[in-house]
Amino acid sequence: METPFGPPDPPFVPAPHLLPGAAVGAVPLKGGSVNEVWLVTLADGRSVVVKTTEGLPAALYRREAEGLDALRASGTVLTPRVLELGPDGMVLEAFDPAPADAEFWERAGHAVAALHGTVGDRFGWAADGWLGRLPQRNPWTTDGHAFFAEHRLLRYLEEPLVRRVLADGERADLERICRRLPDLLPAAPPVLTHGDLWRGNVVARPDGAPVFIDPAVCWMWAEADLSMMFRTGGVPARFFDAYQESRPLDAGWQDRTRLLHLRELLSSTAHVGDGYKRVGELRATLRAYR
């Protein structure tokens, strides 16, 4: 309807060239730190999720789509299907936010345990990918300690914000930790991992089944995946109890999450400096393993 001031503005629609039909509205979704994410309502009544951000590498969305396909193909976890894919974004099935009830997180725990039952013969992945805006390097490696040290910890020392935050002595602390990893972390096989497993990357199907989004997949230690879920918080204890019912963890796993969580602390620092207020935790962890 026209008004005295002229016709109303049309609704904002992100990445209309990617949409599988005409759109009638869009609302922003919270949670991501890299992409602009929108819940878009199509004219036919369907809802889809659109992820798009200018200036990201063209292969980023393709790698994410490949990771979603790989997780789903394992037959252990659910992931959203990619409806449209382009160099500047992707369109995915839409799901509901994860509920807080114990039954949902019990199902999620069993699902992740099943995922981690998919065992490989090397660490890494067939291609490099991204964790957030930064490259995730995945060269095939037979030694898990060497892979974690070089490609999940030390690689962040070259990032400008990490160089700015960490003093020379703290960089040396990290290097010493990496040399001691075989003594600090037990050897474990490479398993299929989500790679960015925290509460915000779990959503729900209408029937209550957990659905896993935004992966950074690779073959890695199971405990490396669990460390982020455990340390970032907000996950009911039933998730971890259910995981252990399906796939018992070695004694001391909760203590080891502190060391394994260094990767996430370094990644956060590399992206935003102390914007997430995690540099204090990073420094405390480095001191704890001197």
Side-chain angles (χ1 to χ4, degrees):
M1 177 185 298
E2 292 195 13
T3 71
F5 306 101
D9 292 333
F12 170 76
V13 177
H17 59 290
L18 292 175
L19 293 174
V24 295
V27 294
L29 296 176
K30 297 180 180 179
S33 59
V34 174
N35 286 278
E36 294 179 5
V37 185
W38 300 83
L39 181 65
V40 176
T41 302
L42 301 177
D44 62 10
R46 288 181 296 160
S47 293
V48 296
V49 169
V50 176
K51 299 176 67 172
T52 180
T53 299
E54 294 182 1
L56 294 182
L60 186 147
Y61 297 104
R62 184 170 71 251
R63 291 285 181 265
E64 180 175 339
E66 291 167 355
L68 291 169
D69 288 345
L71 293 177
R72 187 170 57 254
S74 73
T76 61
V77 296
L78 299 173
T79 64
R81 295 188 181 276
V82 178
L83 305 176
E84 299 289 342
L85 180 65
D88 57 343
M90 62 197 309
V91 181
L92 304 128
E93 290 181 284
F95 293 96
D96 299 323
D101 65 87
E103 181 181 354
F104 174 85
W105 288 100
E106 177 181 338
R107 296 174 71 177
H110 286 307
V112 174
L115 173 68
H116 291 168
T118 309
V119 181
D121 57 3
R122 293 177 292 176
F123 297 86
W125 196 246
D128 290 346
W130 280 266
L131 182 65
R133 292 178 177 267
L134 298 175
Q136 176 168 279
R137 296 163 190 161
N138 299 316
W140 292 120
T141 309
T142 56
D143 184 328
H145 293 102
F147 179 82
F148 189 69
E150 184 173 353
H151 304 298
R152 294 298 181 265
L153 298 181
L154 295 175
R155 58 82 67 238
Y156 286 108
L157 291 182
E158 69 191 52
E159 297 295 339
L161 290 177
V162 174
R163 289 202 306 267
R164 186 180 306 170
V165 165
L166 293 185
D168 290 345
E170 292 165 331
R171 295 166 62 90
D173 287 340
L174 180 63
E175 291 166 348
R176 279 192 294 270
I177 287 171
C178 288
R179 290 194 293 270
R180 296 175 56 213
L181 279 181
D183 300 321
L184 298 171
L185 298 171
V191 302
L192 185 58
T193 60
H194 178 282
D196 196 8
L197 190 66
W198 68 290
R199 192 183 194 285
N201 282 346
V202 188
V203 294
R205 210 167 58 177
D207 64 359
V211 180
F212 296 82
I213 63 173
D214 296 352
V217 297
C218 69
W219 297 96
M220 188 50 201
W221 297 319
E223 288 186 8
D225 234 6
L226 289 180
S227 66
M228 188 173 180
M229 190 73 98
F230 185 76
R231 287 280 166 179
T232 52
V235 180
R238 188 67 193 116
F239 171 88
F240 301 100
D241 292 342
Y243 183 100
Q244 293 235 68
E245 290 168 5
S246 294
R247 192 174 189 275
L249 293 161
D250 292 337
W253 73 270
Q254 291 174 316
D255 296 330
R256 290 190 292 274
T257 60
R258 185 179 189 187
L259 178 54
L260 290 163
H261 195 52
L262 270 175
R263 186 227 50 176
E264 176 59 21
L265 297 175
L266 287 162
S267 173
S268 296
T269 303
H271 278 86
V272 297
D274 201 20
Y276 295 143
K277 304 301 179 185
R278 293 176 181 169
V279 170
E281 183 183 355
L282 171 58
R283 287 179 168 139
T285 303
L286 294 174
R287 288 195 301 270
Y289 290 94
R290 281 178 179 165

